[in-house]
Amino acid sequence: MAVKFILDGEVIELADVDPTATVLDHLRYRMRRTGTKEGCAEGDCGACTVLVGSPDHSGGGGAVQWRAVNACIQFLPMLHGKALLTVESLTCASSPSPSGEGLGWGLSSEGSACGKAPPPAPPVKGRGESALNPLQSVMAENGASQCGFCTPGFVMSLYGRAIGASGADMPVADVLAGNLCRCTGYGPILAAGEAVDSLRRDDAALAAQLAAIAGESASGEWQGQRWFAPKSCGELAALLADYPDARLVAGATDVGLWVTKGLRSLGAVIFLGDVADLSGIEETDEALTIGAGVRYADAHPHFARLHPDLGELVRRIGGLQVRNAGTVGGNVANGSPIGDGPPALIALGAELTLRSASGRRTMPLKDYFLDYGKQDRQPGEFVESIRIPRPGPQAVIHIAKLSRRFDSDISAVCGAFNLTVEQGTITAARVAFGGMAATPRRAAGCEAALVGQPFSEATIEAAAEALKADYTPLDDVRGSSAYRLEAAANLLRRLWLREQGTVISVLEALDG
Ligand SMILES: Cc1cc2nc3c(=O)[nH]c(=O)nc-3n(C[C@H](O)[C@H](O)[C@H](O)COP(=O)(O)OP(=O)(O)OC[C@H]3O[C@@H](n4cnc5c(N)ncnc54)[C@H](O)[C@@H]3O)c2cc1C
Ligand code: FES
Ligand code: FES
């Protein structure tokens, strides 16, 4: 079955697709759309940013929901049933519409920089007539581009923000945290982003086209390698029973690098992006239940409502392009010792539900991580959902990520504390860390030093000392073993200071 997607109003059908060919390589080497650049090929620099659209069921008001993603770590079958916008899509001059009408794709005539009536001029001086999209004009006129290599990526991220794509409600600096520029300096880029508030798109026709190409579950075979894109958990379970060794791919923000950097072959692949019932989110007074296929960008507000520290943690998982693709389930299932979700979710007492053709089983998330690279997942099972109990009024929670760079960086240490304090006594404690051991793990000694003790500075000091005996962390480029031990203990002290209302202004300033 062919992979079908819509590019600039045209339905593109690709037969015999290599399931691990990247969208970026296809654009550059097959379609010769070389405006989308390759910087790092690992999701870090944003030079390859494109927008992917799907029918909008979010109630957000648009006909199509757009997401900025890194084309370098998206595999071609992940485009099936979607719409794609590249930097070439933004001008009429470089890629005329198939209908020959000469309007930008989905840009209404009022909103098109290519049409007769341009949108209200952004507040920059010297804006002249051009075939550029308003954002491109603003970038040029603000001097926001020197060598220009990063510019298409910035333009696509900013265009996404301007048209209300996922994450559009965030400040410009947050939207651009996944885009790197080596030579211009970020001031003019941020100014350009601020200068264009919103652009109107009319995606009604595109939504109809998307509906027309939506069909059966996609699947294919390329040089003996099978791939599938099921649409329901039932279908997924049946496929996994037949192909227990198949590699599951959700957002590919981990797996993509195994291919582009590790040059690994994945064998049979099952793509999870179309499995509708993996994307559920249920919030009740008791708990938040997140489907494994929920992307971090969509989970963000729900996590933030559960606890602000959890929302802040999610804001710092990769850049927006990574959170627009990467899923909560992928972060957990991957089992990385430095994944940010697991320590926080373990401390909050999350439960994991695994599903297979023979049923479901549920376990505390902490029990899922057996050893480095080894999780308690049987052949044929997949992660279906994660349930996080809502913290009670007696909960004292602190979740913090320490990394060498604030944005878009991997944790050296990620610590999460969840204490229950009743009438001045700590009656329960869950403390978990990432970056301190071969798996995300609870700190048994620290917890023992807390429970049953008064919530006091002396208790915190004793528990901070005990914490140092809980782990034997590695030395690596992100931090030495000694640094990690000291920093972990300091995070517990920070919880105490925060609870005393001691505003640690330097730390808060560094964080913000
Ligand atoms: C530039 C960059 C920055 C990043 N920054 C961070 C960061 O700050 N913090 C952080 O924690 N992570 C970070 N990551 C890692 C990654 O984004 C996350 O781990 C993400 O949540 C993975 O989700 P995914 O859907 O992309 O997983 P995938 O790559 O699709 O899959 C990851 C693993 O999980 C398995 N899997 C996926 N879904 C399921 C399922 N439902 N059931 C069973 N197995 C499944 C896959 O088979 C694979 O083994 C970053 C990645 C990149 C590229
Ligand atoms: S090339 Fe750097 S993020 Fe894709
Ligand atoms: S303009 Fe050169 S990398 Fe940004």
Side-chain angles (χ1 to χ4, degrees):
M1 184 184 191
V3 169
K4 282 190 205 172
F5 62 96
I6 298 167
L7 179 62
D8 301 343
E10 187 184 347
V11 178
I12 309 282
E13 289 198 37
L14 305 174
D16 301 326
V17 164
D18 171 357
T20 56
T22 64
V23 171
L24 180 64
D25 281 353
H26 188 80
L27 285 171
R28 291 182 59 82
Y29 301 126
R30 301 274 169 188
M31 303 192 81
R32 292 289 173 202
R33 287 174 82 112
T34 51
T36 308
K37 302 300 182 202
E38 176 168 345
C40 63
E42 60 181 64
D44 255 325
C45 74
C48 64
T49 303
V50 295
L51 296 185
V52 172
S54 40
D56 189 359
H57 304 301
S58 72
V64 172
Q65 187 185 23
W66 293 102
R67 294 174 186 279
V69 297
N70 293 312
C72 65
I73 48 170
Q74 291 282 291
F75 298 129
L76 270 181
M78 295 166 77
L79 276 186
H80 183 69
K82 310 281 191 308
L84 178 66
L85 290 175
T86 70
V87 72
E88 290 88 351
S89 308
L90 303 193
T91 64
C92 291
S94 58
S95 36
S97 89
S99 66
E101 286 172 11
L103 290 178
W105 297 273
L107 272 180
S108 67
S109 52
E110 304 106 286
S112 171
C114 316
K116 299 233 163 46
V124 290
K125 61 182 163 89
R127 183 171 186 276
E129 293 300 314
S130 78
L132 296 181
N133 176 277
L135 261 163
Q136 293 167 314
S137 302
V138 166
M139 288 286 284
E141 289 158 16
N142 274 264
S145 176
Q146 282 189 22
C147 81
F149 190 82
C150 69
T151 307
F154 276 100
V155 164
M156 292 309 287
S157 288
L158 290 175
Y159 181 67
R161 182 172 189 267
I163 63 169
S166 161
D169 51 341
M170 298 193 320
V172 173
D174 280 345
V175 168
L176 295 182
N179 290 86
L180 300 185
C181 175
R182 287 183 63 200
C183 43
T184 300
Y186 293 100
I189 300 175
L190 293 171
E194 299 285 358
V196 174
D197 258 355
S198 64
L199 296 172
R200 204 161 72 76
R201 283 184 60 89
D202 178 358
D203 281 326
L206 181 58
Q209 276 185 304
L210 284 172
I213 63 165
E216 301 293 299
S217 312
S219 61
E221 183 169 346
W222 187 79
Q223 297 187 353
Q225 187 181 13
R226 304 289 308 266
W227 65 268
F228 307 90
K231 293 203 159 181
S232 68
C233 282
E235 218 186 313
L236 169 61
L239 270 171
L240 263 181
D242 290 344
Y243 297 90
D245 295 330
R247 171 57 58 191
L248 299 179
V249 175
T253 59
D254 282 314
V255 176
L257 278 67
W258 304 353
V259 174
T260 61
K261 295 287 148 167
L263 308 181
R264 277 169 62 176
S265 165
L266 298 186
V269 181
I270 302 179
F271 292 100
L272 304 184
D274 288 342
V275 182
D277 38 351
L278 275 185
S279 299
I281 302 178
E282 188 187 60
E283 265 194 77
T284 66
D285 288 347
E286 287 76 43
L288 167 66
T289 305
I290 292 268
V294 174
R295 298 167 173 101
Y296 264 117
D298 296 337
H300 191 176
H302 302 275
F303 278 171
R305 270 198 292 279
L306 205 70
H307 194 274
D309 281 8
L310 193 57
E312 183 61 6
L313 182 72
V314 172
R315 180 169 80 94
R316 293 183 56 197
I317 291 185
L320 179 59
Q321 297 93 324
V322 169
R323 296 192 298 277
N324 271 336
T327 61
V328 180
N331 198 214
V332 166
N334 195 36
S336 163
I338 47 171
D340 287 326
L345 298 177
I346 289 172
L348 291 170
E351 284 181 338
L352 192 69
T353 296
L354 293 156
R355 180 166 168 183
S356 69
S358 45
R360 292 185 172 88
R361 66 189 175 110
T362 295
M363 66 175 79
L365 177 59
K366 72 174 176 52
D367 295 341
Y368 179 69
F369 304 103
L370 300 177
D371 204 344
Y372 182 75
K374 194 167 186 306
Q375 295 86 42
D376 184 5
R377 185 165 80 88
Q378 303 303 315
E381 281 185 326
F382 60 93
V383 176
E384 187 179 45
S385 63
I386 295 139
R387 180 181 184 278
I388 313 147
R390 197 170 290 285
Q394 279 107 359
V396 175
I397 289 172
H398 183 42
I399 301 168
K401 163 172 176 167
L402 299 176
S403 52
R404 296 178 73 129
R405 189 175 61 188
F406 182 82
D407 281 311
S408 200
D409 200 1
I410 293 169
S411 287
V413 174
C414 183
F417 306 85
N418 180 6
L419 316 185
T420 307
V421 179
E422 292 171 292
Q423 292 167 354
T425 300
I426 303 169
T427 54
R430 273 207 208 87
V431 176
F433 277 89
M436 298 289 284
T439 60
R441 227 184 59 198
R442 281 176 75 170
C446 174
E447 291 178 359
L450 290 166
V451 176
Q453 301 300 316
F455 186 42
S456 66
E457 188 167 6
T459 301
I460 294 294
E461 274 310 317
E465 279 312 305
L467 179 57
K468 293 184 182 172
D470 277 324
Y471 300 105
T472 315
L474 290 177
D475 284 312
D476 69 13
V477 287
R478 290 182 198 97
S480 66
S481 174
Y483 163 79
R484 286 184 153 110
L485 285 172
E486 197 59 46
N490 284 344
L491 289 180
L492 180 56
R493 296 185 177 105
R494 188 168 157 188
L495 168 147
W496 168 255
L497 291 173
R498 201 162 81 165
E499 283 305 303
Q500 301 321 296
T502 313
V503 179
I504 322 166
S505 52
V506 176
L507 287 177
E508 301 292 340
L510 280 174
D511 274 5

